[in-house]
Amino acid sequence: MVKEIVSFLNSDGGTLIVGIKDDGTVVGVDKLDETLRKISDVITTQIEPNPQDEITTEVRFDEKKALIVLNISKGGRNIYCQKKYGFSSNGCTIRIGTTCKEMTSEQIKIRYEQNFIDNEYMLKKRSSMADLSFRELKIYYAEKGYHILDDSSFEKNLNLKNQNGEYNLLGELLADRNNIPLIFVKFHGINKASISETSDFGYGCLLTSYTKIKNRLIAENICISDTTVRPRVDKYLYDIDCVNEAVLNSLVHNDWTITEPQISMFSDRIEVLSHGGLPNGMTKKQFFEGISKPRNATLMRIFLSMGLVEHTGHGIPTIVEHYGEEAFEIETNYIKCTIKFDKDVMDKLNRIIVSEINTVQNETLKPSEEKVLKAILSNPDDTALRIAEKIGLSQRTVERALTRLQQVGKIERIGNKREGRWIVIK
């Protein structure tokens, strides 16, 4: 089936019917829902680029037997392939008459190179929302000194609409409100068995979402200072520049037709996952050398205009210099960057937490205040409501305990009520 779909995409489209033998005998589809799910998986996971916008699926009945009909349009991209074989003759087939033929190397080369001349998928793919506004994006440009034109000129200059005059995926990503999440997840321990906290920074302008994630990662970056030497030595849990580069790369190079990037924090590392693998035509060698070949060139230009990224290509080499090439896991459909925490900082932090817990146990505090303080030591990001739910006290009782603990100098609040965190200082 994958081969047949790719062949239709690479030619003039066609119709594929599931439930009829080659001789025309109608046999139908017994496990209809299961088969539909399998076909959906084939379309979204086994073909590159993702062709789901070019394929519609419907169920028909013939002789009271269910048939699945796939209406395949001519592909919007110049070439499609089976991911299993990549852009080779085995992977790239074309429909000629009633048969599927393998493309020649020359045919593949010509079509492949046209991908870099043609418009990006983000500019073609229609937004899931028809009514978009860009107040925040205009503010960003105004702050950088760019002249803001009227709405139509602004949207045209930034390619926020497709050729049909509809808002595209790029426009949706940069709009004030959208349907795209961007989740930061903290886990207890070193695996995903237990979630500590989930924060969603999406559903709005991607530039704003990035800023929120960056600020959160800065707040999470614990610093241990050695004051026994002069000048004092500060060691951080992780290199924030490397983490920032990993996040920026995940946003700019992600295949947004699959899903959004994911940022996960464990007790010993941060993982930044983007989808789509390496951009077409890029090798691992070029990737590690920092050669810039963005999947989403227009999005990259916007990040460049805002001064968030550079064209120097130093981001990946910077991460490699600090954490080695083993920090990257590169597959055909994703790239995962793992930033491991500094072991010395982790060890000292664990000793401090144990010491603070012992200190708390030896101090005279109300039972409710002890419970609240221990909860903060366990998870400094919890709100008063979340602490109350965890330790079985009322929110009002927790808020009084937090106020007194601040008054006696045991805790401080870093940041605002919504995105800040508690720290134990005594």
Side-chain angles (χ1 to χ4, degrees):
M1 179 178 287
V2 180
K3 182 179 179 181
E4 296 287 347
I5 294 174
V6 168
S7 298
F8 281 130
L9 289 165
N10 284 330
S11 49
D12 294 319
T15 302
L16 188 62
I17 303 176
V18 182
I20 297 181
K21 289 186 176 182
D22 290 343
D23 62 6
T25 303
V26 177
V27 294
V29 178
D30 292 329
K31 299 179 180 179
L32 187 59
D33 290 343
E34 180 180 341
T35 305
L36 284 169
R37 284 195 297 270
K38 288 182 178 180
I39 291 173
S40 177
D41 289 341
V42 164
I43 292 170
T44 57
T45 64
Q46 297 187 36
I47 300 173
E48 185 178 359
N50 190 320
Q52 63 190 65
D53 286 347
E54 279 78 30
I55 301 172
T56 59
T57 304
E58 60 178 305
V59 177
R60 297 179 186 172
F61 290 90
D62 190 347
E63 301 176 0
K64 296 183 179 181
K65 295 179 180 179
L67 303 175
I68 298 174
V69 180
L70 278 68
N71 298 303
I72 306 164
S73 303
K74 180 179 180 179
R77 301 294 294 273
N78 294 298
I79 190 168
Y80 293 80
C81 73
Q82 300 180 60
K83 282 188 176 182
K84 181 178 180 181
Y85 301 107
F87 290 95
S88 65
S89 292
N90 288 334
C92 301
T93 53
I94 191 169
R95 190 82 174 183
I96 300 178
T98 59
T99 59
C100 299
K101 298 290 186 181
E102 294 180 354
M103 289 186 184
T104 65
S105 299
E106 185 64 19
Q107 287 175 316
I108 294 172
K109 181 175 182 294
I110 292 172
R111 287 197 178 212
Y112 189 83
E113 289 176 347
Q114 286 175 341
N115 278 334
F116 300 100
I117 301 172
D118 202 358
N119 288 334
E120 326 170 48
Y121 74 93
M122 293 187 77
L123 307 186
K124 290 183 176 181
K125 183 174 174 62
R126 186 175 61 187
S127 166
S128 63
M129 301 174 66
D131 186 19
L132 300 178
S133 63
F134 303 95
R135 183 183 60 84
E136 290 184 26
L137 186 60
K138 290 178 181 179
I139 292 173
Y140 282 112
Y141 271 85
E143 288 177 344
K144 288 294 181 179
Y146 290 95
H147 180 58
I148 304 299
L149 302 175
D150 60 78
D151 287 349
S152 59
S153 299
F154 181 80
E155 293 171 359
K156 181 179 179 180
N157 290 341
L158 294 185
N159 298 298
L160 304 180
K161 289 186 175 181
N162 61 23
Q163 294 177 344
N164 299 323
E166 304 164 316
Y167 287 116
N168 54 28
L169 178 56
L170 178 65
E172 185 171 358
L173 278 170
L174 297 169
D176 297 325
R177 295 289 179 269
N178 56 44
N179 293 323
I180 303 172
L182 197 57
I183 298 174
F184 171 81
V185 184
K186 287 183 70 175
F187 295 93
H188 289 298
I190 61 174
N191 56 43
K192 296 183 177 181
S194 176
I195 294 177
S196 169
E197 180 189 353
T198 300
S199 300
D200 196 336
F201 297 105
Y203 300 105
C205 179
L206 187 61
L207 299 177
T208 302
S209 298
Y210 158 70
T211 302
K212 290 179 179 179
I213 288 176
K214 180 180 178 181
N215 290 338
R216 176 59 185 272
L217 291 169
I218 291 173
E220 293 282 355
N221 196 17
I222 298 169
C223 176
I224 300 295
S225 300
D226 184 355
T227 57
T228 61
V229 295
R230 292 289 184 272
R232 77 177 192 182
V233 177
D234 294 333
K235 294 191 73 174
Y236 287 88
L237 193 59
Y238 46 81
D239 188 289
I240 190 61
D241 290 334
C242 290
V243 172
N244 183 51
E245 290 294 340
V247 172
L248 281 170
N249 275 289
S250 73
L251 298 177
V252 173
H253 298 291
N254 185 64
D255 185 344
W256 291 89
T257 64
I258 299 174
T259 189
E260 70 281 353
Q262 288 130 31
I263 303 169
S264 305
M265 188 172 188
F266 301 84
S267 62
D268 63 344
R269 69 194 186 279
I270 289 176
E271 291 182 355
V272 182
L273 178 74
S274 61
H275 301 275
L278 293 175
N280 288 334
M282 175 174 277
T283 64
K284 288 186 178 180
K285 182 175 182 294
Q286 292 171 330
F287 175 81
F288 286 121
E289 288 176 350
I291 295 175
S292 181
K293 199 171 190 179
R295 172 176 280 107
N296 310 310
T298 307
L299 182 61
M300 168 67 99
R301 284 196 292 272
I302 291 173
F303 271 72
L304 279 168
S305 299
M306 297 298 101
L308 300 175
V309 297
E310 298 178 4
H311 250 323
T312 57
H314 79 287
I316 301 302
T318 298
I319 298 173
V320 171
E321 181 181 353
H322 282 80
Y323 296 97
E325 290 187 2
E326 59 270 21
F328 291 94
E329 181 181 337
I330 303 174
E331 298 294 339
T332 57
N333 59 340
Y334 72 86
I335 298 176
K336 181 167 68 177
C337 179
T338 300
I339 304 295
K340 294 184 177 179
F341 294 163
D342 185 283
K343 290 184 178 179
D344 291 340
V345 175
M346 289 174 62
D347 290 342
K348 192 166 185 179
L349 179 63
N350 289 333
R351 290 196 296 270
I352 290 172
I353 290 175
V354 171
S355 174
E356 288 173 342
I357 291 175
N358 291 334
T359 300
V360 167
Q361 291 173 343
N362 294 328
E363 297 260 351
T364 302
L365 293 174
K366 294 179 180 179
S368 60
E369 294 166 352
E370 290 184 0
K371 287 183 178 181
V372 170
L373 193 52
K374 290 178 181 179
I376 291 173
L377 289 168
S378 175
N379 195 332
D381 300 308
D382 278 349
T383 62
L385 176 59
R386 194 169 298 168
I387 293 172
E389 291 172 347
K390 286 184 177 180
I391 64 178
L393 297 175
S394 69
Q395 183 177 350
R396 180 60 182 154
T397 299
V398 170
E399 289 172 347
R400 283 198 298 266
L402 290 171
T403 300
R404 182 170 183 272
L405 290 170
Q406 288 178 285
Q407 290 172 346
V408 298
K410 294 218 175 274
I411 61 173
E412 282 185 4
R413 182 71 177 176
I414 303 298
N416 57 40
K417 289 184 177 180
R418 184 177 179 183
E419 298 177 8
R421 68 200 310 263
W422 297 102
I423 61 170
V424 177
I425 59 175
K426 184 177 179 181

XYZ file of all heavy atoms in Angstrom, residues 294-368:
601
model
N 18.003 25.136 7.256
C 16.749 25.033 8.006
C 15.631 24.390 7.203
O 15.494 24.623 6.008
C 16.415 26.494 8.331
C 17.102 27.282 7.269
C 18.359 26.531 6.963
N 14.836 23.571 7.889
C 13.652 22.984 7.258
C 12.619 24.080 6.984
O 11.916 24.025 5.986
C 13.063 21.904 8.163
C 11.715 21.371 7.678
C 11.203 20.244 8.546
N 11.851 18.976 8.220
C 12.753 18.373 8.950
N 13.144 18.936 10.086
N 13.296 17.232 8.597
N 12.543 25.052 7.883
C 11.550 26.113 7.787
C 12.269 27.450 7.590
O 12.479 28.202 8.543
C 10.685 26.147 9.047
C 10.146 24.770 9.397
O 9.588 24.089 8.557
N 10.336 24.361 10.651
N 12.655 27.731 6.335
C 13.509 28.891 6.064
C 12.842 30.208 6.441
O 13.498 31.106 6.985
C 13.898 28.903 4.589
N 11.548 30.349 6.161
C 10.870 31.605 6.472
C 10.775 31.823 7.979
O 10.981 32.927 8.479
C 9.461 31.625 5.857
O 9.557 31.332 4.459
C 8.821 32.989 6.032
N 10.486 30.760 8.717
C 10.453 30.860 10.182
C 11.832 31.215 10.715
O 11.966 32.020 11.639
C 9.967 29.539 10.779
C 9.833 29.486 12.305
C 8.824 30.511 12.796
C 9.428 28.091 12.765
N 12.869 30.632 10.125
C 14.231 30.938 10.529
C 14.539 32.421 10.313
O 15.143 33.077 11.172
C 15.219 30.084 9.732
C 16.674 30.498 9.862
S 17.336 30.229 11.522
C 18.190 28.676 11.268
N 14.091 32.980 9.194
C 14.356 34.401 8.914
C 13.680 35.306 9.941
O 14.223 36.337 10.328
C 13.884 34.751 7.498
C 14.806 34.253 6.402
C 14.509 34.939 5.086
N 13.222 34.554 4.545
C 13.025 33.506 3.757
N 14.054 32.717 3.428
N 11.827 33.220 3.297
N 12.503 34.907 10.383
C 11.802 35.700 11.402
C 12.559 35.656 12.725
O 12.743 36.677 13.395
C 10.357 35.199 11.563
C 9.547 35.543 10.308
C 9.696 35.794 12.805
C 8.161 34.970 10.278
N 13.045 34.467 13.112
C 13.847 34.358 14.331
C 15.147 35.154 14.186
O 15.633 35.741 15.154
C 14.136 32.886 14.637
C 13.096 32.223 15.495
C 11.850 31.912 14.987
C 13.352 31.922 16.818
C 10.871 31.311 15.765
C 12.389 31.328 17.624
C 11.145 31.022 17.091
N 15.713 35.165 12.972
C 16.914 35.965 12.729
C 16.615 37.449 12.891
O 17.394 38.190 13.504
C 17.438 35.694 11.320
C 18.274 34.431 11.105
C 18.452 34.160 9.618
C 19.633 34.558 11.779
N 15.484 37.899 12.347
C 15.107 39.311 12.435
C 14.955 39.757 13.880
O 15.247 40.902 14.228
C 13.793 39.558 11.681
O 13.919 39.232 10.313
N 14.491 38.837 14.722
C 14.298 39.160 16.137
C 15.584 39.005 16.952
O 15.598 39.228 18.159
C 13.208 38.265 16.732
C 11.825 38.460 16.108
S 11.185 40.139 16.335
C 11.539 40.851 14.719
N 16.679 38.592 16.301
C 17.948 38.428 16.992
C 18.005 37.216 17.898
O 18.845 37.141 18.807
N 17.125 36.228 17.657
C 17.068 35.042 18.520
C 18.024 33.952 18.060
O 18.481 33.142 18.865
C 15.634 34.494 18.560
C 14.576 35.468 19.092
C 13.189 34.860 18.978
C 14.874 35.843 20.539
N 18.311 33.910 16.771
C 19.259 32.939 16.236
C 20.260 33.676 15.359
O 20.066 34.834 14.997
C 18.556 31.829 15.411
C 17.632 31.027 16.275
C 17.790 32.431 14.231
N 21.333 32.976 15.012
C 22.360 33.556 14.155
C 22.570 32.648 12.951
O 22.220 31.468 12.980
C 23.678 33.715 14.922
C 23.576 34.651 16.122
C 24.883 34.743 16.886
O 25.868 34.135 16.417
O 24.917 35.422 17.918
N 23.167 33.200 11.900
C 23.462 32.408 10.708
C 24.857 31.792 10.780
O 25.329 31.212 9.812
C 23.359 33.290 9.461
C 22.177 32.949 8.605
N 21.729 31.659 8.418
C 21.354 33.745 7.864
C 20.677 31.663 7.607
N 20.423 32.912 7.271
N 25.517 31.959 11.927
C 26.885 31.451 12.035
C 26.936 29.941 12.176
O 27.974 29.322 11.959
C 27.584 32.078 13.256
O 26.810 31.780 14.436
C 27.670 33.594 13.101
N 25.817 29.322 12.555
C 25.789 27.869 12.687
C 26.580 27.359 13.873
O 27.031 26.205 13.881
N 26.764 28.207 14.901
C 27.594 27.795 16.034
C 26.820 26.972 17.056
O 27.413 26.397 17.963
C 28.181 29.025 16.729
C 27.210 29.721 17.631
N 26.161 30.480 17.146
C 27.089 29.752 19.000
C 25.469 30.963 18.161
N 25.992 30.542 19.295
N 25.492 26.906 16.946
C 24.678 26.261 17.977
C 25.006 24.805 18.214
O 25.299 24.398 19.346
N 24.965 23.988 17.161
C 25.245 22.559 17.310
C 26.691 22.327 17.746
O 26.936 21.547 18.677
C 24.929 21.803 16.005
C 23.457 21.981 15.622
C 25.272 20.317 16.158
C 22.475 21.515 16.666
N 27.698 22.969 17.111
C 29.075 22.789 17.598
C 29.261 23.177 19.062
O 30.067 22.570 19.774
C 29.892 23.705 16.671
C 29.102 23.745 15.404
C 27.667 23.745 15.855
N 28.519 24.190 19.526
C 28.607 24.588 20.939
C 28.142 23.460 21.852
O 28.784 23.148 22.869
C 27.756 25.849 21.197
O 28.267 26.929 20.427
C 27.785 26.227 22.673
N 27.021 22.832 21.482
C 26.514 21.707 22.277
C 27.490 20.544 22.234
O 27.767 19.905 23.259
C 25.130 21.281 21.761
C 24.111 22.413 21.915
C 24.641 20.033 22.506
C 22.767 22.133 21.288
N 28.019 20.261 21.047
C 28.971 19.148 20.895
C 30.222 19.393 21.724
O 30.776 18.477 22.344
C 29.334 18.946 19.407
C 30.474 17.958 19.258
C 28.114 18.467 18.630
N 30.689 20.641 21.756
C 31.895 20.979 22.531
C 31.687 20.691 24.013
O 32.596 20.211 24.699
C 32.244 22.449 22.325
C 33.494 22.890 23.080
C 33.806 24.361 22.878
O 33.134 25.008 22.054
O 34.716 24.871 23.571
N 30.496 20.979 24.535
C 30.224 20.792 25.964
C 29.798 19.365 26.303
O 30.176 18.836 27.359
C 29.130 21.762 26.420
C 29.604 23.161 26.632
N 29.788 24.037 25.588
C 29.925 23.838 27.765
C 30.205 25.204 26.069
N 30.289 25.113 27.378
N 29.010 18.743 25.429
C 28.391 17.460 25.791
C 28.712 16.321 24.822
O 28.271 15.191 25.057
C 26.876 17.641 25.889
C 26.466 18.598 26.994
C 26.194 19.933 26.715
C 26.362 18.176 28.314
C 25.820 20.824 27.719
C 25.993 19.054 29.328
C 25.726 20.376 29.015
O 25.365 21.243 30.017
N 29.457 16.602 23.760
C 29.844 15.559 22.814
C 28.751 15.242 21.798
O 27.583 15.600 21.980
N 29.127 14.553 20.727
C 28.146 14.171 19.701
C 27.110 13.202 20.246
O 26.002 13.107 19.721
C 28.861 13.544 18.495
C 29.683 14.533 17.682
C 30.230 13.923 16.406
O 29.926 12.734 16.134
O 30.952 14.623 15.666
N 27.477 12.493 21.322
C 26.535 11.536 21.913
C 25.331 12.231 22.548
O 24.362 11.573 22.937
C 27.225 10.659 22.955
C 27.859 11.405 24.113
C 29.303 11.810 23.873
O 29.712 11.875 22.685
O 30.027 12.049 24.853
N 25.363 13.552 22.634
C 24.204 14.292 23.148
C 23.038 14.227 22.163
O 21.891 14.501 22.543
C 24.579 15.748 23.415
N 23.322 13.856 20.905
C 22.284 13.829 19.883
C 21.938 12.402 19.476
O 22.816 11.571 19.246
C 22.734 14.611 18.654
C 22.839 16.084 18.874
C 24.058 16.649 19.238
C 21.738 16.902 18.741
C 24.167 18.014 19.453
C 21.832 18.264 18.954
C 23.046 18.820 19.314
N 20.653 12.143 19.410
C 20.120 10.897 18.848
C 19.363 11.277 17.580
O 18.323 11.941 17.644
C 19.187 10.213 19.846
C 18.615 8.896 19.357
C 17.672 8.263 20.376
O 17.792 8.597 21.577
O 16.798 7.473 19.966
N 19.905 10.882 16.428
C 19.351 11.307 15.142
C 18.740 10.108 14.426
O 19.431 9.147 14.084
C 20.438 11.951 14.263
C 21.079 13.147 14.994
C 19.853 12.393 12.923
C 22.254 13.753 14.264
N 17.441 10.168 14.217
C 16.718 9.132 13.484
C 16.030 9.769 12.280
O 16.053 10.982 12.104
C 15.693 8.447 14.397
C 16.302 7.741 15.599
C 17.173 6.551 15.226
O 16.998 6.024 14.101
O 18.019 6.153 16.041
N 15.422 8.928 11.447
C 14.787 9.447 10.233
C 13.604 10.360 10.530
O 13.284 11.240 9.743
C 14.310 8.292 9.342
O 13.418 7.454 10.097
C 15.489 7.471 8.837
N 12.950 10.148 11.665
C 11.742 10.916 11.953
C 11.850 11.819 13.179
O 10.876 12.466 13.557
C 10.543 9.979 12.115
C 10.749 8.965 13.229
O 11.872 8.711 13.641
N 9.674 8.393 13.710
N 13.014 11.873 13.826
C 13.167 12.793 14.957
C 14.636 13.019 15.282
O 15.520 12.254 14.870
C 12.444 12.263 16.204
C 13.093 11.067 16.865
C 14.111 11.222 17.808
C 12.687 9.774 16.556
C 14.702 10.132 18.414
C 13.272 8.676 17.154
C 14.282 8.858 18.079
O 14.878 7.770 18.671
N 14.883 14.082 16.035
C 16.205 14.370 16.607
C 15.993 14.666 18.079
O 15.163 15.501 18.439
C 16.887 15.564 15.926
C 17.143 15.280 14.445
C 18.206 15.907 16.638
C 17.724 16.460 13.690
N 16.751 13.986 18.930
C 16.648 14.226 20.369
C 17.994 14.696 20.900
O 19.019 14.054 20.677
C 16.205 12.959 21.103
C 16.052 13.171 22.608
C 15.322 12.006 23.260
C 16.132 10.737 23.240
N 15.444 9.626 23.937
N 17.975 15.826 21.590
C 19.185 16.361 22.218
C 19.067 16.181 23.723
O 18.082 16.610 24.334
C 19.348 17.840 21.865
S 20.805 18.602 22.633
N 20.076 15.536 24.319
C 20.075 15.273 25.752
C 21.187 16.069 26.431
O 22.368 15.901 26.113
C 20.267 13.775 26.038
O 19.215 13.031 25.435
C 20.273 13.500 27.532
N 20.811 16.939 27.345
C 21.760 17.740 28.120
C 21.822 17.160 29.530
O 20.860 17.264 30.297
C 21.328 19.223 28.177
C 21.149 19.793 26.768
C 22.331 20.030 28.990
C 22.414 19.860 25.951
N 22.932 16.532 29.861
C 23.063 15.914 31.176
C 23.459 16.956 32.227
O 24.200 17.891 31.938
C 24.109 14.790 31.120
C 23.684 13.620 30.250
C 24.702 12.490 30.286
C 24.227 11.297 29.454
N 25.206 10.188 29.455
N 22.973 16.741 33.447
C 23.259 17.670 34.530
C 24.675 17.467 35.064
O 25.222 16.353 35.016
C 22.255 17.498 35.673
C 20.841 17.876 35.300
C 19.771 17.448 36.081
C 20.574 18.662 34.197
C 18.471 17.788 35.759
C 19.276 19.016 33.853
C 18.219 18.577 34.640
N 25.248 18.536 35.596
C 26.577 18.488 36.201
C 26.524 17.642 37.473
O 25.738 17.915 38.388
C 27.039 19.909 36.517
C 28.463 19.960 37.029
O 28.674 19.617 38.224
O 29.356 20.331 36.256
N 27.353 16.612 37.546
C 27.305 15.674 38.676
C 27.696 16.345 39.987
O 27.122 16.045 41.040
C 28.222 14.478 38.392
C 27.708 13.566 37.284
C 28.596 12.354 37.111
C 28.038 11.423 36.044
N 28.913 10.223 35.842
N 28.687 17.242 39.960
C 29.110 17.921 41.191
C 27.975 18.770 41.760
O 27.737 18.787 42.971
C 30.331 18.808 40.919
C 31.581 17.997 40.609
O 31.603 16.801 40.979
O 32.502 18.555 39.981
N 27.267 19.472 40.878
C 26.144 20.303 41.333
C 25.042 19.422 41.900
O 24.449 19.730 42.941
C 25.608 21.171 40.174
C 24.367 21.943 40.611
C 26.688 22.139 39.697
N 24.761 18.294 41.227
C 23.720 17.381 41.699
C 24.058 16.823 43.079
O 23.213 16.770 43.970
C 23.529 16.236 40.702
C 22.863 16.650 39.398
S 22.818 15.289 38.208
C 21.826 14.105 39.094
N 25.322 16.411 43.252
C 25.740 15.843 44.544
C 25.636 16.879 45.652
O 25.129 16.586 46.750
C 27.184 15.330 44.448
C 27.302 14.090 43.567
O 26.268 13.439 43.328
O 28.417 13.783 43.114
N 26.116 18.095 45.399
C 26.074 19.134 46.425
C 24.638 19.532 46.731
O 24.279 19.772 47.892
C 26.871 20.350 45.971
C 27.122 21.360 47.100
C 28.179 22.367 46.724
C 28.483 23.286 47.919
N 29.542 24.274 47.596
N 23.805 19.579 45.689
C 22.404 19.924 45.881
C 21.704 18.888 46.755
O 20.934 19.235 47.658
C 21.703 20.022 44.523
C 20.215 20.360 44.550
C 20.001 21.740 45.165
C 19.634 20.307 43.149
N 21.983 17.613 46.513
C 21.380 16.547 47.322
C 21.806 16.650 48.779
O 20.999 16.443 49.696
C 21.762 15.181 46.754
C 21.066 14.881 45.438
O 19.976 15.388 45.184
N 21.693 14.078 44.599
N 23.087 17.002 49.010
C 23.563 17.151 50.389
C 22.886 18.334 51.076
O 22.541 18.274 52.252
C 25.090 17.335 50.401
C 25.871 16.090 50.015
C 27.335 16.214 50.427
N 28.000 17.291 49.723
C 28.629 17.159 48.556
N 28.651 15.970 47.954
N 29.222 18.188 47.983
N 22.677 19.415 50.318
C 22.008 20.599 50.875
C 20.572 20.273 51.252
O 20.082 20.661 52.317
C 22.063 21.761 49.872
C 23.500 22.280 49.744
C 21.134 22.902 50.303
C 23.690 23.305 48.643
N 19.878 19.547 50.384
C 18.480 19.196 50.655
C 18.374 18.342 51.910
O 17.520 18.563 52.772
C 17.863 18.456 49.440
C 17.697 19.436 48.282
C 16.519 17.851 49.802
C 17.221 18.785 46.998
N 19.278 17.344 52.039
C 19.264 16.492 53.231
C 19.531 17.315 54.475
O 18.869 17.165 55.507
C 20.312 15.361 53.093
C 20.442 14.610 54.415
C 19.906 14.404 51.984
N 20.506 18.242 54.377
C 20.839 19.093 55.517
C 19.669 19.993 55.899
O 19.368 20.176 57.075
C 22.065 19.944 55.178
O 22.342 20.866 56.202
N 18.986 20.529 54.872
C 17.856 21.411 55.145
C 16.694 20.663 55.782
O 16.008 21.173 56.662
C 17.415 22.098 53.849
C 18.409 23.155 53.373
C 18.061 23.702 52.007
O 17.269 23.050 51.287
O 18.575 24.774 51.649
N 16.488 19.447 55.335
C 15.414 18.640 55.923
C 15.721 18.368 57.397
O 14.849 18.463 58.262
C 15.237 17.318 55.149
C 14.661 17.614 53.757
C 14.326 16.362 55.906
C 14.560 16.403 52.870
N 16.991 18.046 57.690
C 17.375 17.795 59.081
C 17.228 19.057 59.925
O 16.804 19.004 61.079
C 18.821 17.294 59.137
C 18.961 15.902 58.538
O 17.999 15.127 58.525
N 20.143 15.570 58.048
N 17.580 20.203 59.314
C 17.452 21.466 60.031
C 15.997 21.770 60.347
O 15.643 22.191 61.441
C 18.053 22.617 59.200
O 19.428 22.347 58.962
C 17.906 23.944 59.927
N 15.159 21.541 59.359
C 13.728 21.764 59.557
C 13.194 20.907 60.685
O 12.401 21.340 61.519
C 12.958 21.473 58.241
C 11.466 21.395 58.495
C 13.262 22.542 57.211
N 13.639 19.655 60.735
C 13.142 18.742 61.754
C 13.569 19.162 63.158
O 12.904 18.850 64.143
C 13.644 17.326 61.451
C 12.994 16.728 60.201
C 13.594 15.403 59.804
O 14.694 15.043 60.237
N 12.882 14.653 58.983
N 14.700 19.898 63.247
C 15.204 20.320 64.558
C 14.687 21.702 64.970
O 14.896 22.124 66.099
C 16.744 20.343 64.540
C 17.306 18.954 64.367
O 16.723 17.973 64.828
N 18.455 18.847 63.690
N 14.065 22.425 64.071
C 13.537 23.755 64.374
C 12.120 23.618 64.936
O 11.410 22.658 64.668
C 13.495 24.608 63.100
C 14.872 24.849 62.521
C 15.421 26.204 62.887
O 14.660 27.010 63.438
O 16.611 26.438 62.622
N 11.714 24.616 65.698
C 10.356 24.626 66.237
C 9.427 25.312 65.257
O 9.421 26.527 65.116
C 10.320 25.366 67.586
O 11.217 24.741 68.494
C 8.906 25.338 68.158
N 8.666 24.522 64.545
C 7.683 25.030 63.601
C 6.355 24.338 63.858
O 6.312 23.235 64.388
C 8.121 24.767 62.150
C 9.355 25.492 61.622
C 9.703 24.984 60.233
C 9.121 27.002 61.573
N 5.298 24.986 63.462
C 3.997 24.332 63.548
C 3.970 23.125 62.607
O 4.651 23.132 61.572
C 2.893 25.319 63.166
C 2.727 26.488 64.125
C 1.616 27.410 63.643
C 1.438 28.588 64.584
N 0.384 29.514 64.114
N 3.204 22.108 62.944
C 3.119 20.938 62.062
C 2.743 21.302 60.624
O 3.295 20.734 59.680
C 2.031 20.089 62.724
C 2.087 20.474 64.174
C 2.426 21.921 64.187
N 1.829 22.245 60.457
C 1.425 22.637 59.103
C 2.580 23.296 58.357
O 2.776 23.080 57.149
C 0.225 23.590 59.153
O 0.554 24.757 59.884
